[in-house]
Amino acid sequence: MKKTVTTLADGRELLYFDSRDDVVRDAVDRRPLDAVATSSEIRRDPLLGDSVAVASHRQGRPYHPPADECPLCPSQEGRLSEIPDDHYDVVVFENRFPSLAGDSGRCEVVCFTSDHDSSFAGLSEEQAGLVLEAWTDRTAEFAGLDQVEQVFCFENRGAEIGVTLGHPHGQIYGYPFVTPRTELMLRSMEKHRAETGGNLFDDLVARELTDGDRIVISGEHWVAFVPYAAHWPYEVHLYPLRRVPDLRELDDAERTEFAQIYLELLRRFDRIFGPGRPPTPYISAWHQAPFGIPDREEFALHLELFTVRRTTSKLKFLAGSESGMSVFINDVPPEAAAARLREVASE
């Protein structure tokens, strides 16, 4: 992998990740951009104890532009975009409309491919591996920022999720605090260790491997399963069989197999609802250990993949119970979801 670091016309950082070492990236951003002005603010909720990012400047971000005006496509003659070069493998750049900025954290955009009409599922194993390298590189860089306590790499895919740019891309958030969901995991981890002496993540994976009913794919280094108490209609958790706290700790064999298994999972997601159906909307979320917490090595890196679609024509909405009380009601039994995801492997 070759990484080239450059800057955009307004001073934001942009990085090219290339599979070939001989690629030269010297294109200049020729857009007349003003300096980025953000108003990101973190406010603490005194009742729930969590934090909310208030970022009013995001109201002006691009909203469903036509394909020929996509800001994530390479720059072409007569049309300049966020990527100055006319082609790329993987690109990462600072978000012009960040939810978190300055002392409040950092937000970056990850473009998986220059092909506007593709998807992550359409990548080759080599391309998916390059995205993994980009995620890992950024995790390492964020670890050195004083204002970042936790790194979150994720992809929102599909209009049903709220995506406003159709180009295959994801984001990386560097939070200045430990997120509420991770806090819950850490509390559960500590309680499990106090009660059993074991590691919660190890025991959870062992239980799924023993039960077997919810296993979707099992490899030499990774296992994918529908969790026992899945919140979403179709939800899969992907764990390395060797517990590591973050992406930096994966070895070469684990990286190679990740690309194979993850691509297969995404392709199965697109087949859940039968042939000829629109691509399945989903959220794909990496969970990594926060920096600076006690017993950081006890946390297990894993990826959670889920869709809001519950049938061919129906979505799972977060209504009263979910939004008002954080109590999820799942219409699809986890065992049935796992069986379907195994079934579509041969379609």
Side-chain angles (χ1 to χ4, degrees):
M1 181 199 74
K2 179 181 180 181
K3 181 175 79 169
T4 304
V5 182
T6 184
T7 55
L8 296 172
D10 54 11
R12 287 176 295 133
E13 190 174 38
L14 180 142
L15 306 94
Y16 294 96
F17 292 86
D18 289 291
S19 57
R20 289 172 42 195
D21 291 336
D22 60 347
V23 176
V24 176
R25 298 294 185 186
D26 56 5
V28 176
D29 184 5
R30 294 180 283 113
R31 297 173 297 169
L33 297 180
D34 295 328
V36 173
T38 63
S39 57
S40 181
E41 176 188 359
I42 302 297
R43 296 190 180 184
R44 187 80 170 171
D45 185 325
L47 289 181
L48 299 180
D50 59 6
S51 298
V52 176
V54 180
S56 59
H57 61 275
R58 285 174 53 79
Q59 287 280 37
R61 66 189 187 274
Y63 187 80
H64 295 296
D68 61 358
E69 296 178 15
C70 175
L72 307 184
C73 287
S75 291
Q76 301 292 337
E77 188 64 33
R79 189 187 65 80
L80 303 178
S81 74
E82 288 280 61
I83 296 91
D85 215 327
D86 61 2
H87 70 286
Y88 64 83
D89 289 346
V90 175
V91 162
V92 177
F93 61 87
E94 287 185 75
N95 198 327
R96 186 166 174 80
F97 302 93
S99 302
L100 309 165
D103 293 339
S104 297
R106 182 178 172 100
C107 291
E108 296 182 342
V109 176
V110 184
C111 299
F112 304 140
T113 171
S114 60
D115 185 352
H116 181 87
D117 297 318
S118 186
S119 66
F120 202 118
L123 301 181
S124 67
E125 290 179 14
E126 180 183 25
Q127 290 173 309
L130 189 60
V131 175
L132 178 59
E133 291 301 318
W135 285 331
T136 305
D137 177 273
R138 304 319 297 152
T139 297
E141 288 291 329
F142 279 39
L145 300 178
D146 292 339
Q147 70 269 36
V148 173
E149 290 193 31
Q150 185 174 1
V151 178
F152 179 44
C153 307
F154 65 100
E155 180 191 2
N156 297 327
R157 193 255 196 133
E160 299 92 333
I161 301 296
V163 174
T164 57
L165 294 175
H167 195 103
H169 74 288
Q171 300 182 66
I172 304 175
Y173 278 18
Y175 292 104
F177 50 79
V178 178
T179 62
R181 187 173 177 83
T182 303
E183 290 276 16
L184 289 174
M185 292 184 191
L186 293 173
R187 287 203 292 271
S188 296
M189 181 184 79
E190 293 168 2
K191 180 180 179 182
H192 183 85
R193 181 170 54 189
E195 293 177 349
T196 70
N199 179 276
L200 173 61
F201 298 99
D202 293 350
D203 292 348
L204 184 152
V205 171
R207 170 186 174 177
E208 294 297 344
L209 288 169
T210 299
D211 288 352
D213 289 346
R214 292 174 295 276
I215 298 293
V216 177
I217 303 174
S218 184
E220 182 179 355
H221 303 287
W222 294 82
V223 62
F225 57 86
V226 177
Y228 174 76
H231 289 58
W232 300 93
Y234 291 91
E235 176 181 347
V236 176
H237 293 190
L238 178 60
Y239 278 78
L241 294 174
R242 181 179 67 94
R243 173 166 39 91
V244 296
D246 63 39
L247 292 166
R248 297 175 294 177
E249 302 300 322
L250 294 175
D251 62 28
D252 290 343
E254 290 162 342
R255 292 177 184 280
T256 298
E257 189 177 85
F258 167 78
Q260 299 165 353
I261 289 182
Y262 185 53
L263 287 172
E264 175 62 19
L265 278 177
L266 293 181
R267 291 162 186 167
R268 291 191 194 189
F269 257 57
D270 277 344
R271 296 194 291 262
I272 291 174
F273 302 103
R277 304 306 306 173
T280 300
Y282 65 74
I283 292 174
S284 176
W286 278 110
H287 291 265
Q288 306 192 77
F291 305 122
I293 62 170
D295 302 318
R296 188 172 187 271
E297 299 296 321
E298 293 292 305
F299 191 91
L301 167 77
H302 62 284
L303 182 143
E304 298 184 5
L305 173 69
F306 57 91
T307 180
V308 298
R309 187 175 290 165
R310 56 190 176 92
T311 71
T312 302
S313 59
K314 297 177 182 177
L315 300 180
K316 167 63 179 177
F317 291 102
L318 300 189
S321 186
E322 291 88 356
S323 296
M325 297 302 279
S326 294
V327 177
F328 275 69
I329 301 169
N330 191 352
D331 302 303
V332 180
E335 292 74 18
R340 178 58 181 161
L341 285 163
R342 290 193 297 268
E343 180 182 47
V344 296
S346 58
E347 291 184 4

